[in-house]
Amino acid sequence: MDARITKPEFDSAIPSCAGTLSSAEAVRLEATRLRDEAIGRWIRSAARALFRAVAEYPRRRRVYEELSTLSDRELADIGLNRGDITHVFEDEFRARERLAANAPAKARPANAA
């Protein structure tokens, strides 16, 4: 005995409104399509991020090792301390480096003390 349903059996089980979708069914299909597209975008961005991380690893490791070999005085000259070495590649750290002691000062407003 074959448990599969043939196309004629399937068509006979559906009400006679063959060919037309109800508005609820159309909304469901559109929502499913949008969900599938979003999942596809997420998978592509995750794969891209993974590939980028694997490709950048040797460079990051080399920079980390070079910074680790510097003395505390040399690190201070470039605005770092030994604890900052592990955070060099973080986005928040990059934003903070713009405010380093040896960075050019921004112009102050005229009424600032």
Side-chain angles (χ1 to χ4, degrees):
M1 181 167 177
D2 192 8
R4 290 181 284 183
I5 298 174
T6 64
K7 175 134 176 62
E9 290 173 335
F10 182 77
D11 289 341
S12 66
I14 293 182
S16 64
C17 62
T20 62
L21 295 175
S22 68
S23 62
E25 182 68 13
V27 169
R28 186 188 69 76
L29 290 173
E30 179 65 15
T32 302
R33 184 186 66 78
L34 292 173
R35 181 203 62 201
D36 293 346
E37 288 176 2
I39 291 171
R41 282 191 304 271
W42 181 85
I43 290 172
R44 281 190 300 277
S45 69
R48 223 178 285 127
L50 177 65
F51 179 76
R52 190 176 299 126
V54 169
E56 284 188 12
Y57 179 76
R59 183 185 67 83
R60 287 178 177 235
R61 188 68 195 170
R62 189 172 49 252
V63 169
Y64 178 82
E65 289 171 357
E66 289 175 8
L67 288 173
S68 295
T69 61
L70 296 176
S71 69
D72 289 340
R73 171 66 186 195
E74 291 168 326
L75 286 171
D77 286 344
I78 59 174
L80 297 174
N81 61 42
R82 197 137 313 265
D84 289 336
I85 294 174
T86 57
H87 303 287
V88 167
F89 297 104
E90 295 173 1
D91 291 333
E92 292 174 5
F93 183 83
R94 289 182 194 150
R96 195 183 85 195
E97 80 180 355
R98 294 186 194 113
L99 305 175
N102 58 354
K106 292 183 178 179
R108 287 183 170 182
N111 60 357

